[in-house]
């Protein structure tokens, strides 16, 4: 497997994990109407901090991806995060997923396959 493929997969995995962490963190925050508790919690909530750390890793991975591939190819391939986040939110967070969402994810994935075929 080429370095580019490994890095793109790692980028998508980081994005999915980061979004799941942000969602868990957001769900644990006090109400935004209570600014005295809400604002400090933004900087101390463990899930939010984990999401930021994962995005730090993703930033480094993404810069390497951009060193290896044109942005017009790399960015569409990174859009696999749409499918990954939808599936992960359904399986891990138990969020509902409709047929329309799955159909949209299939269309996005088909578009990504077209872009990938130009590599």
């Amino acid at each position: 497997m080429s370095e580019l493929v490994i890095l793109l997969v790692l980028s998508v995995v980081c994005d999915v994990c980061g979004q799941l962490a942000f969602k868990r963190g957001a769900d644990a925050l006090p109400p935004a109407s209570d600014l005295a508790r809400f604002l400090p919690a933004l900087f101390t909530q463990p899930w939010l901090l984990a999401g930021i750390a994962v995005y730090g890793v993703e930033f480094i991975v993404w810069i390497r991806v951009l060193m290896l591939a044109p942005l017009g190819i790399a960015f569409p391939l990174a859009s696999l995060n749409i499918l990954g986040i939808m599936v992960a939110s359904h399986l891990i967070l138990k969020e509902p997923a409709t047929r329309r969402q799955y159909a949209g994810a299939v269309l996005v994935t088909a578009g990504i396959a077209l872009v990938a075929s130009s590599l």
Side-chain angles (χ1 to χ4, degrees):
M1 207 187 283
S2 76
E3 179 185 2
L4 179 59
V5 171
I6 292 168
L7 289 169
L8 282 165
V9 168
L10 183 57
S11 175
V12 170
V13 168
C14 283
D15 199 27
V16 171
C17 291
Q19 288 298 324
L20 289 173
F22 285 148
K23 176 60 175 156
R24 288 258 168 107
D27 287 345
L29 289 173
S33 59
D34 184 359
L35 286 179
R37 290 179 43 226
F38 178 77
L39 290 176
L42 283 176
F43 302 100
T44 58
Q45 207 302 316
W47 282 108
L48 294 179
L49 296 175
I52 291 168
V54 169
Y55 269 39
V57 171
E58 184 180 8
F59 170 76
I60 295 166
V61 169
W62 186 245
I63 294 302
R64 182 65 183 144
V65 166
L66 293 178
M67 292 171 70
L68 297 172
L71 182 60
I73 300 290
F75 190 75
L77 292 174
S79 297
L80 280 171
N81 66 0
I82 294 168
L83 179 62
I85 290 167
M86 189 191 74
V87 171
S89 68
H90 178 68
L91 295 175
I92 296 169
L93 301 177
K94 308 299 183 207
E95 294 182 348
T98 66
R99 288 182 184 183
R100 185 172 284 184
Q101 286 171 298
Y102 279 114
V106 166
L107 289 172
V108 168
T109 304
I112 292 166
L114 286 173
V115 171
S117 69
S118 69
L119 282 176

